Amino acid sequence: DAKTTQPNSMESNEEEPVHLPCNHSTISGTDYIHWYRQLPSQGPEYVIHGLTSNVNNRMASLAIAEDRKSSTLILHRATLRDAAVYYCILRRSGGYQKVTFGIGTKLQVIP
Amino acid sequence: DVKVTQSSRYLVKRTGEKVFLECVQDMDHENMFWYRQDPGLGLRLIYFSYDVKMKEKGDIPEGYSVSREKKERFSLILESASTNQTSMYLCASSTRQHYGYTFGSGTRLTVV
């Protein structure tokens, strides 16, 4: 299974943009890049995913490197509610894939 | 709007007890998963199921078993609970395609 690497923690000032990096150098051509976040005392929630092109939704943007070996989750204006653990994973279509979430990046937002 | 429901938010069980953690999803998803989450270790996959009556071991299946008799329900069983199984347990479901996982709110299990 392809692995992802993220920093353990990051800090951001409130109302500033946040760029959360993820490395996935062993990604295969059929792997989609997914991001999730986990607020305290809750299960992870889906944020965004993409394959090759950059993606935007109401929660965030996903920038994918041209060689697909890294990606960046962009929160355009961090709020205190964005303080959470963010996970980057890879998954492909099919019923047999085992996906491990790892430790993720703990984002602290400073007022 | 709850889509993945875990039967208990908190559970306290005694060492040696048989423990059942239940998970139900209402999205007709084929895949279901059980993870445990411990400080500093992230989410670790225990078991997953890609169809009714089908199951696959994850990274840490020892001491656990699972049951999937119906598509919407995936049960995690601790045959003889031990203190090192004290943890947060998270259930998730997904389609077979590349779309996202939906997680439940978790069950915090304490084994005393």
Side-chain angles (χ1 to χ4, degrees), chain B:
Chain B
D1 191 37
V2 176
K3 300 183 186 308
V4 177
T5 303
Q6 294 185 229
S7 54
S8 303
R9 192 81 171 98
Y10 299 93
L11 269 182
V12 180
K13 296 291 182 180
R14 296 195 179 276
T15 302
E17 274 193 80
K18 189 169 186 176
V19 180
F20 292 86
L21 302 183
E22 306 288 346
C23 176
V24 177
Q25 52 97 2
D26 63 1
M27 296 166 289
D28 202 36
H29 283 172
E30 294 87 0
N31 299 341
M32 295 188 75
F33 309 83
W34 276 106
Y35 289 87
R36 66 176 280 178
Q37 185 171 32
D38 302 287
L41 297 176
L43 278 77
R44 293 180 292 167
L45 182 63
I46 305 171
Y47 268 97
F48 67 103
S49 169
Y50 50 88
D51 205 345
V52 176
K53 298 190 186 295
M54 306 303 286
K55 61 184 179 183
E56 290 287 335
K57 293 180 180 179
D59 297 315
I60 51 164
E62 295 78 20
Y64 304 94
S65 62
V66 291
S67 172
R68 191 156 181 213
E69 296 297 317
K70 294 184 178 181
K71 189 176 186 180
E72 67 270 20
R73 186 179 298 269
F74 192 35
S75 303
L76 180 69
I77 303 155
L78 287 66
E79 294 289 342
S80 178
S82 64
T83 55
N84 62 14
Q85 292 178 310
T86 291
S87 186
M88 170 69 85
Y89 290 87
L90 290 157
C91 175
S93 71
S94 76
T95 66
R96 288 208 179 110
Q97 286 71 43
H98 58 268
Y99 303 110
Y101 292 77
T102 301
F103 279 84
S105 297
T107 296
R108 185 164 292 282
L109 173 67
T110 302
V111 182
V112 297

Side-chain angles (χ1 to χ4, degrees), chain A residues 47-104:
Chain A
V47 176
I48 200 167
H49 80 282
L51 183 62
T52 56
S53 304
N54 294 346
V55 184
N56 300 295
N57 67 20
R58 64 175 179 80
M59 292 178 72
S61 296
L62 175 60
I64 301 172
E66 198 169 332
D67 63 5
R68 300 207 330 122
K69 293 185 176 182
S70 65
S71 61
T72 302
L73 180 71
I74 302 166
L75 308 178
H76 295 286
R77 259 177 96 244
T79 70
L80 297 178
R81 288 174 296 178
D82 291 322
V85 177
Y86 289 80
Y87 300 94
C88 166
I89 67 161
L90 303 176
R91 74 161 300 191
R92 63 185 71 118
S93 294
Y96 306 97
Q97 186 191 17
K98 184 177 76 172
V99 174
T100 299
F101 274 69
I103 297 173

